[in-house]
């Protein structure tokens, strides 16, 4: 099953929005016997256990020849978790039942129903009327009121998800960067370090946290929050300096700015479209006249992978607990093993060298130093422009409690009755 799963990842899952191949590439996997797997790499590799814990193992018996549709329908859906698959009705509900044979002991609940309710007000109404016991992704506009409601409990925790924008610094002509007269901008101004820095200076991150996210976010200084291995404490949140941004643009040949289309999803991250609108207004104030186009996540990310954007919103949540995960996936030059989610094709040889050295460094202290230095390279080069870390929020009916998770997951066994 493990060998089959890794081969499936390497082959590529059709229509997958983001491949797990970053975590399987460069590894030769051999089954030794029923209880032994030998994984070989060309160089020392300290993150082997982390990588192999990133993706779920699927059954060869049920998965061989299975399609995504087979997994969604339940035909190929098997597992060893605390709950078993019972029923799925598209866009309506998923039903799980307690797994009496679960190796980890008796599940907390006999039956669990997950209901996708896209609209924030509808989720709130479902909770307040008792139609559901718990909701996640609580709209930021409702958090304060829910805290005051004696029939509701709120759980919050800082997320490991960073929201960032990817400037197209690779192409000489970028599809959505124009001169003020509407003609294609050549050379692409986003290739200039100073222009990318001016964009970062024009973004008021604290205002986004306070006004758009209504306090349910933290200004971001880099591509992973504090507390994670490889976090660079020397990197500070970019100070908001619109006048400095204007001067910097003028210094490098853009006194009147240019035109830019900003893309983002409108149903993937908390307030994603609102954040994008706010940032577009901030950039327009310094002379970068922005148009905003938002898309459903079902098409947004596949188009981003096809390099259709010049300045798009993306995010990353670390799966391995250290900064090498986002760095090798979204920053490193695109290769067979790296940069699988580098949707701006950013490339920096100094960064690549530091990251590649870190990935073969077994000594933790030395590896952490290299990761911090690599993070410093990309942030100071404005290869990716982070804006904020999300704060994950859940609301439950009184009498229930949930220990919030940094990975955003809403797991049934994490819900408990208040004693």
């Amino acid at each position: 099953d493990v060998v089959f799963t890794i081969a499936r990842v390497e082959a590529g899952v059709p229509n997958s929005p983001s491949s797990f191949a970053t975590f399987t590439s460069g590894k030769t996997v051999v089954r030794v016997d029923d209880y032994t797997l030998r994984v070989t790499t060309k160089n020392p590799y300290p993150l082997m256990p982390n990588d192999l814990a990133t993706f779920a193992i699927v059954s060869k018996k049920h998965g061989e020849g299975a399609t995504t549709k087979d997994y969604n329908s339940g035909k190929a859906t098997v597992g060893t978790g605390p709950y078993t698959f019972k029923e799925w009705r598209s866009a309506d509900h998923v039903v799980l039942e307690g797994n009496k044979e679960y190796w980890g002991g008796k599940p907390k609940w006999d039956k669990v129903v997950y209901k996708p309710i896209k609209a924030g007000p509808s989720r709130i109404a479902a909770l307040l009327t008792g139609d559901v016991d718990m909701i996640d992704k609580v709209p930021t506009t409702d958090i304060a009121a829910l805290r005051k409601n004696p029939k509701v409990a709120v759980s919050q925790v800082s997320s490991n998800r960073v929201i960032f924008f990817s400037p197209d610094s690779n192409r000489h002509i970028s599809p959505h960067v124009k001169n003020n007269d509407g003609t294609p901008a050549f050379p692409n101004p986003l290739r200039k370090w100073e222009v990318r820095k001016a964009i970062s200076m024009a973004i008021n991150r604290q205002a986004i946290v306070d006004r758009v996210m209504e306090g349910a976010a933290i200004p971001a200084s880099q591509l992973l929050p504090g507390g994670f291995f490889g976090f660079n404490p020397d990197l500070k949140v970019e100070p908001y300096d619109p006048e400095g941004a204007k001067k910097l643009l003028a210094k490098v040949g853009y006194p009147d700015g240019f035109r830019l289309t900003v893309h983002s999803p409108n149903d993937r991250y908390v307030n994603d479209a609102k954040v994008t609108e706010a940032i577009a207004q901030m950039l327009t104030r310094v002379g970068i006249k922005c148009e905003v186009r938002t898309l459903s996540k079902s098409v947004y990310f596949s188009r981003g992978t096809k390099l259709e954007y010049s300045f798009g919103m993306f995010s990353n949540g670390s799966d391995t607990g250290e900064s090498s995960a986002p760095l090798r996936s979204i920053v490193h030059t695109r290769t067979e093993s790296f940069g699988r989610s580098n949707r701006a094709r950013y490339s920096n040889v100094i960064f690549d060298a530091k990251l590649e050295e870190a990935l073969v460094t077994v000594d933790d202290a030395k590896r952490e130093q290299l990761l911090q230095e690599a993070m410093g390279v990309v942030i100071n080069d404005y290869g990716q422009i982070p804006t904020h870390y999300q704060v994950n929020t859940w609301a439950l009916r009184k009498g229930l409690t949930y220990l919030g998770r940094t990975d955003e997951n809403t797991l049934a066994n994490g819900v408990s009755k208040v004693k």
Side-chain angles (χ1 to χ4, degrees):
D1 291 342
V2 176
V3 173
F4 168 76
T5 297
I6 293 174
R8 181 173 181 265
V9 171
E10 284 288 286
V13 178
N15 301 317
S16 171
S18 186
S19 172
F20 281 91
T22 293
F23 304 105
T24 60
S25 295
K27 301 174 179 66
T28 301
V29 184
V30 177
R31 173 191 176 277
V32 177
D33 56 45
D34 285 350
Y35 300 98
T36 308
L37 189 74
R38 180 178 293 122
V39 185
T40 307
T41 59
K42 293 181 180 180
N43 300 296
Y45 188 60
L47 292 181
M48 178 69 74
N50 306 59
D51 277 8
L52 296 183
T54 301
F55 47 88
I57 306 302
V58 296
S59 163
K60 179 180 180 181
K61 175 182 176 181
H62 297 275
E64 204 160 34
T67 64
T68 298
K69 183 178 180 180
D70 292 331
Y71 284 99
N72 287 341
S73 69
K75 179 180 177 181
T77 305
V78 297
T80 58
Y83 299 92
T84 60
F85 175 83
K86 180 66 175 177
E87 181 184 53
W88 174 63
R89 292 189 181 179
S90 179
D92 188 74
H93 67 257
V94 176
V95 180
L96 307 177
E97 289 184 344
N99 182 3
K100 297 178 181 178
E101 298 180 3
Y102 177 49
W103 59 268
K106 182 181 178 181
K108 289 185 178 180
W109 310 98
D110 295 329
K111 182 179 179 181
V112 179
V113 181
Y114 283 93
K115 291 183 67 67
I117 304 175
K118 290 185 177 181
S122 298
R123 288 202 303 279
I124 296 294
L127 176 69
L128 296 179
T129 58
D131 290 341
V132 300
D133 298 304
M134 173 185 185
I135 62 172
D136 59 11
K137 298 180 176 61
V138 177
T140 56
T141 53
D142 296 289
I143 294 175
L146 290 176
R147 287 190 178 281
K148 298 176 182 178
N149 190 322
K151 297 181 179 180
V152 175
V154 174
S155 174
Q156 281 189 310
V157 67
S158 176
S159 175
N160 62 21
R161 182 171 299 282
V162 60
I163 303 297
F164 62 91
F165 283 79
S166 291
D168 180 5
S169 59
N170 184 267
R171 290 177 283 191
H172 290 284
I173 297 179
S174 192
H176 298 285
V177 183
K178 309 290 184 182
N179 295 316
N180 287 324
D181 62 3
T183 58
F186 177 81
N188 170 16
L190 298 179
R191 288 176 60 84
K192 289 181 176 288
W193 167 85
E194 295 89 347
V195 171
R196 302 195 299 272
K197 178 177 173 63
I199 289 173
S200 185
M201 294 168 66
I203 297 174
N204 188 339
R205 290 164 175 80
Q206 192 61 54
I208 291 172
V209 169
D210 294 339
R211 300 171 194 169
V212 183
M213 299 300 290
E214 302 193 56
I218 301 169
S221 63
Q222 53 201 282
L223 298 173
L224 208 62
F228 282 80
F229 190 86
F231 177 85
N232 188 333
D234 294 331
L235 296 174
K236 307 302 180 185
V237 175
E238 182 81 53
Y240 174 54
D241 185 4
E243 292 305 315
K246 291 179 184 178
K247 292 178 181 178
L248 192 53
L249 287 171
K251 181 179 178 181
V252 294
Y254 298 96
D256 299 317
F258 53 89
R259 291 166 59 177
L260 176 67
T261 299
V262 186
H263 287 84
S264 86
N266 54 30
D267 56 0
R268 174 60 183 93
Y269 314 123
V270 179
N271 296 340
D272 42 17
K274 292 181 179 179
V275 169
T276 303
E277 291 280 0
I279 287 178
Q281 292 174 17
M282 294 172 187
L283 297 184
T284 298
R285 291 190 193 108
V286 302
I288 302 175
K289 293 160 278 294
C290 291
E291 177 183 348
V292 173
R293 293 182 187 170
T294 67
L295 302 164
S296 170
K297 61 186 177 184
S298 61
V299 297
Y300 178 78
F301 294 101
S302 60
R303 289 181 60 178
T305 300
K306 296 175 184 176
L307 308 183
E308 294 187 16
Y309 309 140
S310 296
F311 192 72
M313 171 191 277
F314 297 102
S315 84
N316 185 268
S318 175
D319 295 309
T320 64
E322 72 167 54
S323 62
S324 60
L327 294 181
R328 61 179 166 167
S329 176
I330 65 177
V331 181
H332 192 286
T333 301
R334 175 70 180 237
T335 68
E336 182 179 345
S337 302
F338 296 106
R340 294 299 184 106
S341 296
N342 184 347
R343 295 184 173 95
R345 294 299 189 266
Y346 173 75
S347 182
N348 185 308
V349 294
I350 297 175
F351 167 85
D352 290 351
K354 286 186 179 294
L355 178 62
E356 289 172 24
E357 183 180 354
L359 291 174
V360 298
T361 300
V362 177
D363 179 83
D364 284 348
K366 178 61 176 176
R367 186 169 82 260
E368 183 172 34
Q369 179 184 345
L370 287 165
L371 290 174
Q372 290 173 342
E373 292 174 359
M375 185 70 78
V377 171
V378 67
I379 294 302
N380 290 322
D381 192 32
Y382 301 91
Q384 306 286 358
I385 300 177
T387 57
H388 61 282
Y389 308 115
Q390 291 186 171
V391 170
N392 300 332
T393 307
W394 294 263
L396 311 87
R397 65 176 174 82
K398 208 69 173 180
L400 295 176
T401 182
Y402 187 68
L403 183 61
R405 298 173 58 94
T406 63
D407 62 10
E408 304 176 357
N409 286 333
T410 302
L411 305 182
N413 261 15
V415 184
S416 302
K417 293 181 179 179
V418 177
K419 296 181 180 179

